Amino acid sequence: MTAPGPFQRALLPEGLRDDLPPWAEHEAHMVDRLMSVAAGRGYRRVAPPLVEFEDSLITASGQGQGQSQSRSQSMFRLLDPVSQKMMAVRSDMTLQVARIATSRMAGQGRPLRLSYAGHVLRVRGTQLRPARQFRQAGVELIGSDALEADLEVIALAAEALTDLGIKGLSVDLVSPTLVPSLARQLALDEPTTEMARRALDAKDIAALAGFDETVRDILTGLMQAAGSLDSALPKLEQVPLDGQAARIRDTLVTLARALKDRVPDLKITIDPGECRGFEFHTGVGFAFFAPHVSGELGRGGRYQVACPDGGQESAVGFSMYLDSLLRAVPVPVEHPRIYLPFGTGQEEARRLRSIGWRTVYGLVSVSDPAAAARAEGCTHLYEHGVALSLTADDEASEE
Amino acid sequence: MTAPGPFQRALLPEGLRDDLPPWAEHEAHMVDRLMSVAAGRGYRRVAPPLVEFEDSLITASGQGQGQSQSRSQSMFRLLDPVSQKMMAVRSDMTLQVARIATSRMAGQGRPLRLSYAGHVLRVRGTQLRPARQFRQAGVELIGSDALEADLEVIALAAEALTDLGIKGLSVDLVSPTLVPSLARQLALDEPTTEMARRALDAKDIAALAGFDETVRDILTGLMQAAGSLDSALPKLEQVPLDGQAARIRDTLVTLARALKDRVPDLKITIDPGECRGFEFHTGVGFAFFAPHVSGELGRGGRYQVACPDGGQESAVGFSMYLDSLLRAVPVPVEHPRIYLPFGTGQEEARRLRSIGWRTVYGLVSVSDPAAAARAEGCTHLYEHGVALSLTADDEASEE
């Protein structure tokens, strides 16, 4: 992508951009690949609208007032002249998919496997994600609390990302309910819990000095049990946990082991004490990374979906963000294009397309077809039944 | 699609909807097909953002104040907190593609072939198009005034629509510059021209009674030269035109004949006196229809693109609207899905997918796998290496 000049810079609002060739096709192709991997595993596509009543886009189960408010502030709001109610442009699609699952698809059997892809818009970009519009694509598996469901979704995500050409993919597994559960068990008060949480997120052993010995041992143990699976798992198993906290730990251990079995090439790390960014998850959370690419490629985990009847369904999902992914995948190569001089038969053009060429048909007769072909960005010129390469000193190849 | 109940009705604003299985996948597939037909002919995809500064979305060459105003009123407006300028959600993508062609891609050779697909949003639906969000997809061929360019775009559109399974496709060719040119030549004043235009649009011969004989003969001739190509073309050639009007007529005749040659199966009608809906076209306009489907499936024609340097480029384009198309194509059939009971090997699952199955993996062990399979919408159950059909009395097929 060429850097925009001063004229181009003024054309679009900050954080919004035109995708040019070959990027626009490449991004669409990446979404198709994910949707196709998901479809192969029985995930059926749904497509909610870009705009909904604001209320539907900010309400979610298990989320505090703060989360709803920050969600609301991240969305562009629009007055609907038809209903006179406030609408908003979605800033995330997962709530929409949950709404579909629990309303229009409430009568369908469970578990329900859904996939989705679409654009989301945010009022402001962040340093990590300056784009204000980007594509989100993902899957949701709703109505099963089996660990096999978590495993299926993480394995699917890993396969889809690998399929896109990402090298050295890794996944980080977290257990955001572990620390809250521990805090309840150890009867820690709110400020102490918060201090523990901050120390764990920062991996700051010194910050644990003020805790009593039992608590400190446990928290230090969790902190040291972060890292690559092989070294961290034995440490995690030695942390002296019991009751619910032990069960949460065992879930993470079981899932991590099963994932290693299922996707042997995937690099797995665990961070059992980490909560940051997974505050609303009710089971294992995960995030995918690639070497030399800042930020996550995608993330997901287990959560509760609120139903209109007041009930809840357990679900596990995965979302990927195309702006991050585009930084991680190999630069797309434009497909070869062959220039057919004006007068080339339509049958001949069809035949060339049928064997994989992209044809560019000369609209008028020109004296220098090779120059015209180059002007139109063609890699080849079709002359006397032969595809002549225009880009390098390739041999002409008989067609 | 099932009719929504009262609860569902309240969920979304009027004119906005959730696309459910199998429709969401089907629509995405239709867009892919068009993009792929276009890519085969050298059209490269661009993707402008959903939202832009309002000014960029309403300014277009050759368009009067009225058109800009109606365009502006059809768009949702948003204040950009970053720039403090008004932005709008696009209600049409063609202006965006023209902007890209004349700015970021101004330095690329001509003709320039671009394709695009994306959602557009409108403040209000119309009777013919109640949806307020729909997908638009199309191509633009910019920088050539050759008739071969018009022919290429119309033929491409016909092939893409046929490829989508639309039966009995027809195209109506119009010549919106013919009547204005005639009016200038015959020195008709504005009210008389308007009267002629209305009579022609309504095919109302009686309304021509007040015109003088020469004008009446010409207008009657144009009116009678509307209809299917074989009967209308000879009549059109007999209409006593000269000068510019004759050249415009000849262009329509030549293009119609060439199109018949190039796409013999396409039903072609002409309506040389029609202007309605093509007011901003500068050459032949066209619209595609299918039997028993109200409204156009897509439309396009020749127009002028304004360049930032004050110049203009001649272009021809085609847009299709997925909401209309979905009414015209065969109802999608869901792909067969096979239920793999819990414990089926992952290798086995991969093998089944590699031969085309969509697999739905049992997340827990169940006593009645056939019931579980049905609950998850599967068409088949995998048992002892055999795919048992659950939907009809098909024979079990060995896999």
Side-chain angles (χ1 to χ4, degrees):
Chain A
M1 286 182 283
T2 26
F7 174 65
Q8 280 74 28
R9 242 198 296 279
L11 284 176
L12 291 175
E14 195 178 306
L16 296 170
R17 70 164 199 280
D18 296 318
D19 289 324
L20 301 186
W23 293 94
E25 179 178 354
H26 190 56
E27 190 179 319
H29 175 75
M30 288 170 67
V31 170
D32 285 351
R33 287 301 309 154
L34 172 71
M35 292 296 99
S36 155
V37 169
R41 279 145 197 79
Y43 289 75
R44 292 185 296 160
R45 190 157 178 179
V46 293
L50 282 166
V51 163
E52 288 199 27
F53 289 128
E54 187 179 19
D55 290 348
S56 333
L57 287 172
I58 58 179
T59 315
S61 79
Q63 303 200 348
Q65 189 64 32
Q67 171 75 356
S68 289
Q69 202 172 341
S70 95
R71 201 186 283 274
S72 163
Q73 285 166 355
S74 77
M75 292 190 299
F76 281 107
R77 301 166 79 229
L78 304 165
L79 180 67
D80 180 11
V82 176
S83 64
Q84 296 295 325
K85 288 205 246 176
M86 283 313 292
M87 305 192 298
V89 184
R90 66 182 175 214
S91 60
D92 180 271
M93 293 180 73
T94 55
L95 277 184
Q96 294 188 301
V97 176
R99 176 184 56 69
I100 291 175
T102 57
S103 59
R104 297 199 54 188
M105 299 185 82
Q108 305 238 349
R110 293 319 197 232
L112 184 63
R113 287 170 171 89
L114 300 177
S115 65
Y116 62 92
H119 288 275
V120 300
L121 211 58
R122 296 188 179 171
V123 168
R124 289 178 191 278
T126 62
Q127 200 162 18
L128 206 58
R129 168 163 290 145
R132 292 201 282 172
Q133 176 185 329
F134 48 88
R135 254 181 167 141
Q136 184 183 9
V139 299
E140 305 291 332
L141 203 174
I142 296 145
S144 166
D145 55 11
L147 208 57
E148 181 68 30
D150 304 69
L151 185 58
E152 173 171 307
V153 168
I154 303 174
L156 186 166
E159 186 174 334
L161 291 168
T162 303
D163 190 56
L164 294 177
I166 292 165
K167 305 279 180 222
L169 187 68
S170 68
V171 68
D172 190 40
L173 303 180
V174 300
S175 212
T177 54
L178 183 55
V179 171
S181 167
L182 254 181
R184 275 192 306 274
Q185 228 169 295
L186 299 169
L188 303 184
D189 60 16
E190 191 48 48
T192 313
T193 307
E194 187 50 36
M195 211 185 307
R197 208 191 284 270
R198 245 183 276 145
L200 282 164
D201 283 345
K203 308 275 176 302
D204 180 1
I205 292 198
L208 298 177
F211 287 85
D212 79 45
E213 200 180 329
T214 324
V215 179
R216 195 172 61 224
D217 280 357
I218 294 178
L219 296 179
T220 309
L222 288 180
M223 223 178 260
Q224 289 171 337
S228 79
L229 194 62
D230 294 337
S231 63
L233 223 46
K235 293 181 196 155
L236 179 58
E237 288 181 300
Q238 282 161 26
V239 178
L241 299 173
D242 52 23
Q244 194 195 34
R247 286 194 297 277
I248 292 171
R249 181 255 315 268
D250 293 348
T251 298
L252 180 64
V253 170
T254 309
L255 181 60
R257 290 231 164 89
L259 183 60
K260 183 152 188 63
D261 261 15
R262 177 111 10 134
V263 194
D265 293 341
L266 181 63
K267 196 180 159 224
I268 304 172
T269 58
I270 60 170
D271 195 347
E274 173 90 39
C275 304
R276 207 167 20 184
F278 290 95
E279 286 81 0
F280 306 101
H281 283 81
T282 56
V284 174
F286 57 90
F288 281 91
F289 298 90
H292 316 301
V293 180
S294 71
E296 305 166 359
L297 304 179
R299 60 149 53 206
R302 182 167 285 284
Y303 62 100
Q304 294 295 111
V305 175
C307 305
D309 65 6
Q312 295 206 327
E313 289 194 90
S314 191
V316 53
F318 164 70
S319 266
M320 64 182 198
Y321 307 103
L322 273 289
D323 54 335
S324 307
L325 273 180
L326 283 169
R327 293 195 301 262
V329 297
V331 172
V333 178
E334 276 213 70
H335 202 282
R337 292 151 54 86
I338 190 165
Y339 184 87
L340 311 184
F342 180 75
T344 305
Q346 292 298 319
E347 269 312 316
E348 195 58 7
R350 245 190 297 277
R351 189 183 69 77
L352 288 166
R353 287 193 291 269
S354 77
I355 58 170
W357 286 99
R358 294 188 172 179
T359 60
V360 173
Y361 198 80
L363 300 174
V364 291
S365 178
V366 291
S367 56
D368 185 352
R374 283 199 189 86
E376 294 190 47
C378 292
T379 53
H380 292 75
L381 167 66
Y382 192 63
E383 216 172 53
H384 311 302
V386 174
L388 301 168
S389 170
L390 298 169
T391 48
D393 33 23
D394 299 4
E395 297 287 303
S397 59
E398 189 77 32
E399 278 310 320
Chain B
M1 286 182 282
T2 26
F7 173 65
Q8 280 74 29
R9 242 198 295 279
L11 284 175
L12 291 176
E14 194 178 307
L16 295 170
R17 70 166 199 279
D18 294 318
D19 288 323
L20 300 186
W23 293 94
E25 179 178 353
H26 191 57
E27 190 178 319
H29 175 74
M30 288 170 67
V31 170
D32 285 352
R33 288 300 309 154
L34 172 69
M35 291 297 100
S36 155
V37 168
R41 279 146 198 79
Y43 289 75
R44 292 186 295 161
R45 191 157 176 179
V46 292
L50 282 165
V51 163
E52 287 198 28
F53 289 127
E54 187 179 20
D55 290 347
S56 335
L57 287 172
I58 56 180
T59 314
S61 80
Q63 303 200 349
Q65 189 63 32
Q67 171 74 356
S68 290
Q69 201 172 342
S70 95
R71 199 186 284 272
S72 163
Q73 285 167 356
S74 76
M75 293 190 297
F76 281 107
R77 301 165 79 229
L78 304 164
L79 180 67
D80 179 12
V82 177
S83 63
Q84 296 295 325
K85 289 204 244 175
M86 283 313 292
M87 305 192 297
V89 185
R90 66 182 175 213
S91 60
D92 181 271
M93 293 180 73
T94 54
L95 277 184
Q96 294 189 299
V97 176
R99 176 183 57 68
I100 291 175
T102 57
S103 58
R104 297 198 55 188
M105 298 184 82
Q108 306 238 348
R110 295 313 198 236
L112 184 63
R113 288 171 171 88
L114 300 177
S115 65
Y116 62 92
H119 287 276
V120 300
L121 210 60
R122 296 189 178 171
V123 169
R124 289 178 190 279
T126 61
Q127 199 162 18
L128 206 60
R129 167 164 290 145
R132 292 199 283 170
Q133 177 186 329
F134 48 87
R135 254 183 166 140
Q136 184 183 9
V139 298
E140 305 291 332
L141 204 175
I142 296 145
S144 166
D145 55 11
L147 208 58
E148 181 68 31
D150 303 70
L151 185 59
E152 173 172 307
V153 169
I154 304 174
L156 186 166
E159 186 175 334
L161 291 167
T162 303
D163 190 56
L164 294 177
I166 291 165
K167 304 278 179 223
L169 186 69
S170 67
V171 67
D172 190 39
L173 303 181
V174 301
S175 214
T177 54
L178 182 55
V179 171
S181 166
L182 253 181
R184 276 192 305 275
Q185 227 169 299
L186 299 169
L188 302 185
D189 61 17
E190 192 48 49
T192 313
T193 306
E194 187 49 37
M195 211 186 306
R197 208 191 283 272
R198 244 183 277 144
L200 282 164
D201 283 344
K203 307 275 175 306
D204 180 1
I205 293 198
L208 299 177
F211 287 85
D212 80 45
E213 201 179 328
T214 324
V215 178
R216 195 173 62 224
D217 280 357
I218 293 177
L219 295 178
T220 309
L222 288 179
M223 222 178 260
Q224 289 171 336
S228 79
L229 194 61
D230 293 338
S231 62
L233 223 44
K235 291 181 197 156
L236 179 58
E237 288 181 300
Q238 281 159 27
V239 178
L241 298 173
D242 52 24
Q244 193 194 36
R247 285 194 297 277
I248 292 172
R249 181 254 314 268
D250 294 348
T251 298
L252 179 63
V253 169
T254 307
L255 181 61
R257 290 231 164 89
L259 183 60
K260 184 153 186 65
D261 259 15
R262 174 106 20 128
V263 195
D265 292 343
L266 180 64
K267 197 180 159 223
I268 304 171
T269 58
I270 58 170
D271 196 346
E274 174 90 40
C275 304
R276 206 166 23 186
F278 290 94
E279 285 81 0
F280 305 101
H281 284 82
T282 56
V284 173
F286 58 90
F288 281 90
F289 298 90
H292 316 301
V293 180
S294 70
E296 304 167 359
L297 304 179
R299 60 148 55 206
R302 183 168 285 282
Y303 61 101
Q304 294 295 111
V305 175
C307 305
D309 65 8
Q312 295 206 326
E313 290 195 88
S314 192
V316 52
F318 164 70
S319 266
M320 66 182 198
Y321 306 103
L322 273 291
D323 55 334
S324 307
L325 273 180
L326 283 168
R327 293 196 302 263
V329 296
V331 172
V333 177
E334 277 213 68
H335 202 280
R337 291 150 56 86
I338 190 164
Y339 184 87
L340 310 185
F342 180 74
T344 305
Q346 293 298 319
E347 269 312 316
E348 195 58 7
R350 245 190 297 276
R351 190 184 68 77
L352 288 166
R353 286 193 292 269
S354 78
I355 59 171
W357 286 99
R358 293 187 173 181
T359 61
V360 173
Y361 197 81
L363 300 174
V364 290
S365 179
V366 293
S367 58
D368 186 352
R374 282 200 189 85
E376 294 190 46
C378 291
T379 52
H380 292 75
L381 166 65
Y382 192 64
E383 217 173 52
H384 311 304
V386 175
L388 301 167
S389 170
L390 299 169
T391 48
D393 32 24
D394 299 4
E395 297 288 303
S397 58
E398 189 77 31
E399 280 308 322

